[in-house]
Amino acid sequence: PSRSLEVLMNEHSLYPAKIAVKVFIDHQPSLKDEISDIVKNAFPALSEKDISCTESTNQKYLSITYIIDVQEKEDIEKLYQTLSHHPNVKMVL
């Protein structure tokens, strides 16, 4: 009997891993700092070199990318939940 890839691939074997989390927000310096504080609180080992920003063409939005060392799936899921529920976050990828 063949087994599905999902059964064969234990999701815990994917961690630890470096994961890119991209957060889209309105372009406000204080909001960028607030979001970065949330990410740094969840992942204290995050350094400034692991954070990059890109402005939208009209400079209305800001995309912030965090390269995070994730040890456990639950840690990244909790961060996605927190960021997704933030009232000023447009999208999290």
Side-chain angles (χ1 to χ4, degrees), residues 10-19 42-46 67-77 79:
N10 176 351
E11 65 187 30
H12 293 288
S13 69
L14 300 175
Y15 298 92
K18 278 196 180 285
I19 296 179
F43 294 92
L46 183 73
I67 306 299
I68 301 171
D69 283 317
V70 179
Q71 300 302 312
E72 303 284 333
K73 177 183 176 186
E74 293 76 19
D75 296 337
I76 195 68
E77 287 177 343
L79 178 63

Side-chain angles (χ1 to χ4, degrees), residues 49-84:
K49 69 177 180 53
D50 296 321
I51 304 171
S52 60
C53 298
T54 306
E55 294 178 343
S56 62
T57 306
N58 62 6
Q59 297 182 345
K60 184 175 179 181
Y61 300 104
L62 186 66
S63 164
I64 313 167
T65 302
Y66 301 93
I67 306 299
I68 301 171
D69 283 317
V70 179
Q71 300 302 312
E72 303 284 333
K73 177 183 176 186
E74 293 76 19
D75 296 337
I76 195 68
E77 287 177 343
K78 185 176 178 184
L79 178 63
Y80 273 105
Q81 280 279 65
T82 302
L83 293 172
S84 296

